[in-house]
mmCIF file of all heavy atoms in Angstrom:
data_model
loop_
_atom_site.group_PDB
_atom_site.id
_atom_site.type_symbol
_atom_site.label_atom_id
_atom_site.label_comp_id
_atom_site.label_asym_id
_atom_site.label_seq_id
_atom_site.Cartn_x
_atom_site.Cartn_y
_atom_site.Cartn_z
ATOM 1 N N GLU U 4 65.591 90.908 130.388
ATOM 2 C CA GLU U 4 64.375 91.580 129.897
ATOM 3 C C GLU U 4 64.578 93.091 129.738
ATOM 4 O O GLU U 4 64.101 93.673 128.770
ATOM 5 C CB GLU U 4 63.216 91.281 130.855
ATOM 6 C CG GLU U 4 62.828 89.797 130.850
ATOM 7 C CD GLU U 4 61.767 89.438 131.854
ATOM 8 O OE1 GLU U 4 61.377 90.345 132.656
ATOM 9 O OE2 GLU U 4 61.282 88.293 131.848
ATOM 10 N N ALA U 5 65.347 93.700 130.693
ATOM 11 C CA ALA U 5 65.577 95.131 130.621
ATOM 12 C C ALA U 5 66.447 95.495 129.401
ATOM 13 O O ALA U 5 66.269 96.571 128.822
ATOM 14 C CB ALA U 5 66.300 95.614 131.892
ATOM 15 N N LEU U 6 67.330 94.577 128.997
ATOM 16 C CA LEU U 6 68.201 94.816 127.813
ATOM 17 C C LEU U 6 67.332 95.160 126.584
ATOM 18 O O LEU U 6 67.657 96.077 125.835
ATOM 19 C CB LEU U 6 69.065 93.585 127.584
ATOM 20 C CG LEU U 6 69.935 93.541 126.324
ATOM 21 C CD1 LEU U 6 70.965 94.650 126.378
ATOM 22 C CD2 LEU U 6 70.593 92.167 126.176
ATOM 23 N N PHE U 7 66.251 94.418 126.397
ATOM 24 C CA PHE U 7 65.410 94.624 125.219
ATOM 25 C C PHE U 7 64.366 95.699 125.468
ATOM 26 O O PHE U 7 64.072 96.515 124.572
ATOM 27 C CB PHE U 7 64.736 93.305 124.842
ATOM 28 C CG PHE U 7 65.721 92.223 124.427
ATOM 29 C CD1 PHE U 7 66.215 91.320 125.362
ATOM 30 C CD2 PHE U 7 66.173 92.192 123.136
ATOM 31 C CE1 PHE U 7 67.152 90.354 124.967
ATOM 32 C CE2 PHE U 7 67.126 91.238 122.754
ATOM 33 C CZ PHE U 7 67.623 90.329 123.660
ATOM 34 N N GLN U 8 63.805 95.721 126.669
ATOM 35 C CA GLN U 8 62.767 96.725 126.969
ATOM 36 C C GLN U 8 63.315 98.145 126.909
ATOM 37 O O GLN U 8 62.661 99.047 126.383
ATOM 38 C CB GLN U 8 62.158 96.441 128.341
ATOM 39 C CG GLN U 8 61.327 95.151 128.380
ATOM 40 C CD GLN U 8 60.966 94.716 129.787
ATOM 41 O OE1 GLN U 8 61.488 95.233 130.773
ATOM 42 N NE2 GLN U 8 60.117 93.710 129.905
ATOM 43 N N ASP U 9 64.539 98.345 127.396
ATOM 44 C CA ASP U 9 65.150 99.669 127.385
ATOM 45 C C ASP U 9 65.429 100.167 125.941
ATOM 46 O O ASP U 9 65.475 101.359 125.706
ATOM 47 C CB ASP U 9 66.469 99.685 128.192
ATOM 48 C CG ASP U 9 66.240 99.502 129.697
ATOM 49 O OD1 ASP U 9 65.018 99.575 130.114
ATOM 50 O OD2 ASP U 9 67.197 99.262 130.430
ATOM 51 N N ALA U 10 65.618 99.194 125.062
ATOM 52 C CA ALA U 10 65.863 99.547 123.648
ATOM 53 C C ALA U 10 64.566 99.541 122.847
ATOM 54 O O ALA U 10 64.609 99.764 121.605
ATOM 55 C CB ALA U 10 66.845 98.549 123.020
ATOM 56 N N HIS U 11 63.429 99.339 123.567
ATOM 57 C CA HIS U 11 62.100 99.291 122.915
ATOM 58 C C HIS U 11 62.058 98.260 121.796
ATOM 59 O O HIS U 11 61.526 98.498 120.733
ATOM 60 C CB HIS U 11 61.748 100.686 122.369
ATOM 61 C CG HIS U 11 61.811 101.785 123.404
ATOM 62 N ND1 HIS U 11 60.904 101.869 124.432
ATOM 63 C CD2 HIS U 11 62.707 102.780 123.594
ATOM 64 C CE1 HIS U 11 61.196 102.911 125.199
ATOM 65 N NE2 HIS U 11 62.314 103.472 124.695
ATOM 66 N N VAL U 12 62.656 97.097 122.110
ATOM 67 C CA VAL U 12 62.691 95.987 121.161
ATOM 68 C C VAL U 12 61.963 94.814 121.805
ATOM 69 O O VAL U 12 62.123 94.551 123.008
ATOM 70 C CB VAL U 12 64.132 95.597 120.810
ATOM 71 C CG1 VAL U 12 64.186 94.303 119.999
ATOM 72 C CG2 VAL U 12 64.862 96.715 120.089
ATOM 73 N N ALA U 13 61.158 94.084 121.024
ATOM 74 C CA ALA U 13 60.432 92.955 121.557
ATOM 75 C C ALA U 13 61.390 91.855 122.050
ATOM 76 O O ALA U 13 62.428 91.617 121.449
ATOM 77 C CB ALA U 13 59.515 92.382 120.480
ATOM 78 N N LEU U 14 60.994 91.251 123.120
ATOM 79 C CA LEU U 14 61.830 90.171 123.731
ATOM 80 C C LEU U 14 61.917 88.964 122.769
ATOM 81 O O LEU U 14 60.939 88.638 122.086
ATOM 82 C CB LEU U 14 61.239 89.688 125.041
ATOM 83 C CG LEU U 14 61.315 90.641 126.256
ATOM 84 C CD1 LEU U 14 60.487 90.043 127.387
ATOM 85 C CD2 LEU U 14 62.731 90.818 126.690
ATOM 86 N N PRO U 15 63.057 88.300 122.715
ATOM 87 C CA PRO U 15 63.165 87.065 121.962
ATOM 88 C C PRO U 15 62.119 86.059 122.518
ATOM 89 O O PRO U 15 61.806 86.065 123.703
ATOM 90 C CB PRO U 15 64.580 86.566 122.244
ATOM 91 C CG PRO U 15 65.337 87.782 122.615
ATOM 92 C CD PRO U 15 64.370 88.668 123.331
ATOM 93 N N THR U 16 61.589 85.211 121.663
ATOM 94 C CA THR U 16 60.536 84.275 122.096
ATOM 95 C C THR U 16 60.991 82.859 122.204
ATOM 96 O O THR U 16 60.349 82.030 122.866
ATOM 97 C CB THR U 16 59.376 84.372 121.098
ATOM 98 O OG1 THR U 16 59.861 84.079 119.784
ATOM 99 C CG2 THR U 16 58.710 85.736 121.109
ATOM 100 N N ARG U 17 62.074 82.459 121.546
ATOM 101 C CA ARG U 17 62.517 81.049 121.584
ATOM 102 C C ARG U 17 63.468 80.840 122.775
ATOM 103 O O ARG U 17 64.679 80.796 122.642
ATOM 104 C CB ARG U 17 63.249 80.728 120.264
ATOM 105 C CG ARG U 17 62.287 80.733 119.041
ATOM 106 C CD ARG U 17 63.091 80.656 117.761
ATOM 107 N NE ARG U 17 63.874 81.855 117.557
ATOM 108 C CZ ARG U 17 64.900 81.944 116.726
ATOM 109 N NH1 ARG U 17 65.305 80.849 116.078
ATOM 110 N NH2 ARG U 17 65.563 83.069 116.566
ATOM 111 N N LEU U 18 62.844 80.754 123.945
ATOM 112 C CA LEU U 18 63.609 80.705 125.165
ATOM 113 C C LEU U 18 63.611 79.299 125.807
ATOM 114 O O LEU U 18 62.569 78.623 125.792
ATOM 115 C CB LEU U 18 63.058 81.693 126.185
ATOM 116 C CG LEU U 18 62.935 83.166 125.734
ATOM 117 C CD1 LEU U 18 62.341 83.988 126.903
ATOM 118 C CD2 LEU U 18 64.301 83.698 125.326
ATOM 119 N N VAL U 19 64.742 78.949 126.360
ATOM 120 C CA VAL U 19 64.823 77.786 127.261
ATOM 121 C C VAL U 19 65.194 78.344 128.633
ATOM 122 O O VAL U 19 66.169 79.102 128.760
ATOM 123 C CB VAL U 19 65.906 76.790 126.821
ATOM 124 C CG1 VAL U 19 66.123 75.718 127.890
ATOM 125 C CG2 VAL U 19 65.520 76.126 125.485
ATOM 126 N N GLU U 20 64.390 78.012 129.646
ATOM 127 C CA GLU U 20 64.659 78.503 131.006
ATOM 128 C C GLU U 20 65.424 77.420 131.754
ATOM 129 O O GLU U 20 64.971 76.270 131.885
ATOM 130 C CB GLU U 20 63.349 78.784 131.746
ATOM 131 C CG GLU U 20 62.729 80.081 131.401
ATOM 132 C CD GLU U 20 61.612 80.451 132.365
ATOM 133 O OE1 GLU U 20 61.489 79.777 133.445
ATOM 134 O OE2 GLU U 20 60.854 81.362 132.073
ATOM 135 N N SER U 21 66.587 77.790 132.302
ATOM 136 C CA SER U 21 67.367 76.864 133.123
ATOM 137 C C SER U 21 68.432 77.580 133.888
ATOM 138 O O SER U 21 68.987 78.584 133.393
ATOM 139 C CB SER U 21 68.021 75.776 132.233
ATOM 140 O OG SER U 21 68.812 74.935 133.016
ATOM 141 N N SER U 22 68.709 77.117 135.084
ATOM 142 C CA SER U 22 69.856 77.658 135.866
ATOM 143 C C SER U 22 70.960 76.617 135.926
ATOM 144 O O SER U 22 71.946 76.832 136.632
ATOM 145 C CB SER U 22 69.349 77.958 137.291
ATOM 146 O OG SER U 22 68.873 76.799 137.921
ATOM 147 N N SER U 23 70.842 75.521 135.189
ATOM 148 C CA SER U 23 71.830 74.470 135.229
ATOM 149 C C SER U 23 73.019 74.866 134.360
ATOM 150 O O SER U 23 72.900 75.062 133.129
ATOM 151 C CB SER U 23 71.231 73.147 134.689
ATOM 152 O OG SER U 23 72.290 72.231 134.408
ATOM 153 N N GLN U 24 74.173 75.001 134.984
ATOM 154 C CA GLN U 24 75.390 75.376 134.268
ATOM 155 C C GLN U 24 75.749 74.359 133.176
ATOM 156 O O GLN U 24 76.125 74.720 132.062
ATOM 157 C CB GLN U 24 76.552 75.466 135.282
ATOM 158 C CG GLN U 24 77.816 76.075 134.716
ATOM 159 C CD GLN U 24 77.854 77.579 134.889
ATOM 160 O OE1 GLN U 24 77.072 78.135 135.634
ATOM 161 N NE2 GLN U 24 78.753 78.242 134.193
ATOM 162 N N VAL U 25 75.543 73.071 133.502
ATOM 163 C CA VAL U 25 75.881 72.018 132.538
ATOM 164 C C VAL U 25 74.962 72.106 131.319
ATOM 165 O O VAL U 25 75.400 72.040 130.166
ATOM 166 C CB VAL U 25 75.774 70.636 133.157
ATOM 167 C CG1 VAL U 25 75.947 69.537 132.150
ATOM 168 C CG2 VAL U 25 76.802 70.501 134.321
ATOM 169 N N LEU U 26 73.642 72.243 131.554
ATOM 170 C CA LEU U 26 72.695 72.322 130.438
ATOM 171 C C LEU U 26 72.934 73.571 129.595
ATOM 172 O O LEU U 26 72.902 73.491 128.333
ATOM 173 C CB LEU U 26 71.251 72.301 130.974
ATOM 174 C CG LEU U 26 70.148 72.395 129.900
ATOM 175 C CD1 LEU U 26 70.235 71.228 128.940
ATOM 176 C CD2 LEU U 26 68.774 72.483 130.561
ATOM 177 N N ILE U 27 73.172 74.709 130.219
ATOM 178 C CA ILE U 27 73.413 75.948 129.478
ATOM 179 C C ILE U 27 74.635 75.767 128.577
ATOM 180 O O ILE U 27 74.583 76.101 127.363
ATOM 181 C CB ILE U 27 73.632 77.138 130.451
ATOM 182 C CG1 ILE U 27 72.337 77.459 131.191
ATOM 183 C CG2 ILE U 27 74.146 78.351 129.705
ATOM 184 C CD1 ILE U 27 72.517 78.442 132.319
ATOM 185 N N ARG U 28 75.699 75.211 129.106
ATOM 186 C CA ARG U 28 76.916 75.036 128.310
ATOM 187 C C ARG U 28 76.649 74.146 127.104
ATOM 188 O O ARG U 28 77.076 74.449 125.982
ATOM 189 C CB ARG U 28 78.034 74.448 129.184
ATOM 190 C CG ARG U 28 79.337 74.264 128.442
ATOM 191 C CD ARG U 28 80.356 73.504 129.293
ATOM 192 N NE ARG U 28 79.883 72.152 129.578
ATOM 193 C CZ ARG U 28 80.441 71.346 130.465
ATOM 194 N NH1 ARG U 28 81.464 71.758 131.182
ATOM 195 N NH2 ARG U 28 79.983 70.122 130.644
ATOM 196 N N GLU U 29 75.975 73.035 127.301
ATOM 197 C CA GLU U 29 75.726 72.094 126.212
ATOM 198 C C GLU U 29 74.818 72.684 125.135
ATOM 199 O O GLU U 29 75.048 72.480 123.948
ATOM 200 C CB GLU U 29 75.097 70.782 126.767
ATOM 201 C CG GLU U 29 76.037 69.977 127.657
ATOM 202 C CD GLU U 29 77.377 69.687 126.993
ATOM 203 O OE1 GLU U 29 77.372 69.214 125.847
ATOM 204 O OE2 GLU U 29 78.416 69.940 127.590
ATOM 205 N N LEU U 30 73.828 73.464 125.568
ATOM 206 C CA LEU U 30 72.933 74.103 124.599
ATOM 207 C C LEU U 30 73.697 75.132 123.756
ATOM 208 O O LEU U 30 73.461 75.239 122.534
ATOM 209 C CB LEU U 30 71.759 74.760 125.285
ATOM 210 C CG LEU U 30 70.705 73.806 125.871
ATOM 211 C CD1 LEU U 30 69.688 74.580 126.722
ATOM 212 C CD2 LEU U 30 70.005 73.043 124.775
ATOM 213 N N LEU U 31 74.590 75.852 124.406
ATOM 214 C CA LEU U 31 75.399 76.869 123.655
ATOM 215 C C LEU U 31 76.363 76.178 122.700
ATOM 216 O O LEU U 31 76.552 76.627 121.568
ATOM 217 C CB LEU U 31 76.149 77.769 124.637
ATOM 218 C CG LEU U 31 75.349 78.630 125.595
ATOM 219 C CD1 LEU U 31 76.288 79.530 126.403
ATOM 220 C CD2 LEU U 31 74.321 79.456 124.854
ATOM 221 N N LEU U 32 76.984 75.113 123.163
ATOM 222 C CA LEU U 32 77.990 74.434 122.306
ATOM 223 C C LEU U 32 77.396 73.804 121.085
ATOM 224 O O LEU U 32 78.047 73.718 120.038
ATOM 225 C CB LEU U 32 78.739 73.353 123.127
ATOM 226 C CG LEU U 32 79.675 73.840 124.228
ATOM 227 C CD1 LEU U 32 80.207 72.666 125.017
ATOM 228 C CD2 LEU U 32 80.818 74.665 123.643
#
C-alpha cells in the first residue's frame, strides 16, 4: 500500500488476498 500511496497513485483494485505460496505461484503462472 505504501508503494502506491507514497507515489500519490491510487491502489490497484483487482486484488486477490492470500498468503498461500502455492496459490500465489499458480495465479502468477
Side-chain angles (χ1 to χ4, degrees):
E4 294 176 353
L6 173 64
F7 297 94
Q8 291 167 351
D9 292 348
H11 305 290
V12 172
L14 290 171
T16 56
R17 293 168 293 161
L18 304 180
V19 171
E20 281 192 12
S21 177
S22 61
S23 167
Q24 190 89 14
V25 174
L26 179 61
I27 292 171
R28 183 187 64 191
E29 293 306 311
L30 289 173
L31 296 185
L32 291 175

